Amino acid sequence: MRLTYWGVRGSTPVPGPGTVRYGGNTPCVEVRGAAGRIFLDAGTGLLAAARADASARDDTTVLLSHTHWDHIQGLTLHPALYRAGGVLRLMGPSQGRVPLKATIERLLAPEYFPVGPEALAGRLEVSEVTERGFEVNGFAVLAFRVHHGVVTYGYRILEPGSGKSLIFITDNELGDGTDTDLSAWRASLVRFVRDGDLMIHDAMWREEDWPVRRGWGHSTAVQAIGLAREAGVRKLTLYHYDPALDDDALDAYVARAEGAAATAGVELAAAREGVTVTLE
């Protein structure tokens, strides 16, 4: 299984000279296996992937964690929608009584976008997933609802041939241990991620920023490290960075996280746009 990070920022793209080392695109991770490929989330990083690889322009499958703006910003301009024979397949959770397809079709309403569905030369396919297991493009996938303001899924992705497991959890508020009514949910989360080979986890807030951002649906690096240690995850990668942090600020944040991870006995990495990682 091979991963490429195409977008690692939360909330909004932040292009410019201050974000070149970590990248300024919003969430998108490409996962390649022996039998196929999927993309995790469809932020502006999805468009970066299409620009870099012609094969991503015609037939693309995206597994969405949820439909907040930063996770779908790359959809309406994806080249597969504008090429004859192109297919863009979206899979993800519904929001209560609002079907996922209805949410996606709203993006093409004239109030938001100048090109309507009738102008699309390609095909848009939308299907909903639940917390039951399913298969897609050669991967076996389990979903788990994480702690965010809307229905948001974390995914455990297994490539049957290799036996390796990738866990992708973005936009998840782990809390600081004082939220006792979340204890049953956290115990279930620990079981969901236990013994994962690689866990990509939200680490949007610095520890000093957390107290005034409680309830915003995100975690700190130290909180993610605690989860990885408790669940025996083999490697943790920090992800979904605060767009207010430039590269120098992120360097300092990651350095502090590395110290905390070393103390906890957790192998740690920080996601960087354009970097490819192989699960050995």
Side-chain angles (χ1 to χ4, degrees), residues 180-272:
T180 55
D181 34 334
L182 291 179
S183 57
W185 167 83
R186 183 183 175 91
S188 297
L189 174 64
V190 169
R191 289 193 294 272
F192 181 73
V193 306
R194 186 171 297 282
D195 297 329
D197 291 293
L198 172 62
M199 179 170 69
I200 302 168
H201 197 282
D202 178 285
M204 189 162 182
W205 305 136
R206 296 177 298 184
E207 279 63 42
E208 61 267 33
D209 298 327
W210 159 253
V212 296
R213 290 171 171 80
R214 181 191 296 271
W216 289 24
H218 297 284
S219 299
T220 70
V222 168
Q223 291 166 355
I225 290 166
L227 174 64
R229 178 184 55 79
E230 185 177 354
V233 170
R234 292 177 178 81
K235 185 172 184 177
L236 169 67
T237 296
L238 306 180
Y239 187 71
H240 200 279
Y241 306 124
D242 185 348
L245 302 182
D246 63 11
D247 287 332
D248 291 340
L250 276 176
D251 280 344
Y253 178 41
V254 170
R256 284 187 293 169
E258 288 172 341
T263 300
V266 172
E267 184 180 352
L268 184 76
R272 294 175 184 255

Side-chain angles (χ1 to χ4, degrees), residues 62-67 72 75 90-107 124-129 155:
V62 181
L63 193 56
L64 296 173
S65 62
H66 64 309
T67 54
I72 58 173
L75 291 180
L90 306 180
M91 306 172 68
S94 64
Q95 296 300 324
R97 295 183 179 180
V98 181
L100 178 61
K101 184 176 182 180
T103 301
I104 298 302
E105 288 176 345
R106 288 176 187 172
L107 301 177
L124 176 64
E125 298 180 357
V126 181
S127 58
E128 294 180 3
V129 301
Y155 295 107

Side-chain angles (χ1 to χ4, degrees), residues 125-197:
E125 298 180 357
V126 181
S127 58
E128 294 180 3
V129 301
T130 67
E131 290 183 273
R132 298 172 182 169
F134 58 95
E135 295 185 0
V136 55
N137 295 1
F139 298 101
V141 183
L142 293 173
F144 180 85
R145 183 168 178 178
V146 296
H147 188 211
H148 199 53
V150 298
V151 179
T152 303
Y153 283 166
Y155 295 107
R156 185 173 184 128
I157 300 166
L158 175 71
E159 186 180 27
S162 70
K164 297 299 181 181
S165 57
L166 164 68
I167 298 159
F168 178 74
I169 300 180
T170 181
D171 293 56
N172 181 39
E173 184 166 337
L174 289 167
D176 55 10
T178 61
D179 303 311
T180 55
D181 34 334
L182 291 179
S183 57
W185 167 83
R186 183 183 175 91
S188 297
L189 174 64
V190 169
R191 289 193 294 272
F192 181 73
V193 306
R194 186 171 297 282
D195 297 329
D197 291 293

Side-chain angles (χ1 to χ4, degrees), residues 44 76 105:
T44 56
T76 55
E105 288 176 345

